[in-house]
Amino acid sequence: GIQRCQSAPRVSKAMSEILSVVKAKVGRWIGLSVVHLGDRDVPNALIFIDKYTQVPRLLGPIARTLDEIDRLAEDSDLNVYMEENFGGKEKLR
């Protein structure tokens, strides 16, 4: 309930600073630029941190697999599999 809502000004400030640095490095930003804590969507800093630490855990294996496609294609059997099932390694990627 609402009793769980807690402001986290230091975490909010740190996250805003990190977001600014990342936005400057990547050039084009897609998505929200708002760090919100202590509202109905993100009731406290721990939920915010947990929510965003899930992203690399979910996407990391996919990114590593995509990075390894070229190496895997060096195996002739896997290369044939990629060609027959996906139309080649580039289409698979």
Side-chain angles (χ1 to χ4, degrees):
I2 194 78
Q3 75 279 7
R4 296 182 311 129
C5 290
Q6 300 174 13
S7 66
R10 292 189 310 184
V11 173
S12 182
K13 182 176 187 262
M15 293 305 298
S16 293
E17 289 171 2
I18 291 168
L19 181 61
S20 293
V21 170
V22 171
K23 285 171 65 175
K25 285 185 179 182
V26 299
R28 183 169 177 249
W29 184 257
I30 298 172
L32 297 175
S33 296
V34 177
V35 176
H36 55 100
L37 298 168
D39 61 14
R40 67 178 177 79
D41 295 321
V42 183
N44 59 56
L46 294 176
I47 298 231
F48 178 86
I49 292 167
D50 181 59
K51 178 179 173 182
Y52 289 99
T53 58
Q54 301 295 326
V55 173
R57 195 174 334 164
L58 296 170
L59 297 181
I62 296 168
R64 284 191 299 279
T65 300
L66 293 173
D67 288 342
E68 291 293 319
I69 288 175
D70 289 329
R71 187 185 64 76
L72 293 169
E74 292 172 5
D75 179 299
S76 60
D77 292 331
L78 285 175
N79 193 42
V80 168
Y81 179 81
M82 290 178 199
E83 287 291 335
E84 290 177 355
N85 291 280
F86 302 101
K89 63 183 183 180
E90 291 309 315
K91 286 187 179 179
L92 171 61
R93 189 177 334 253

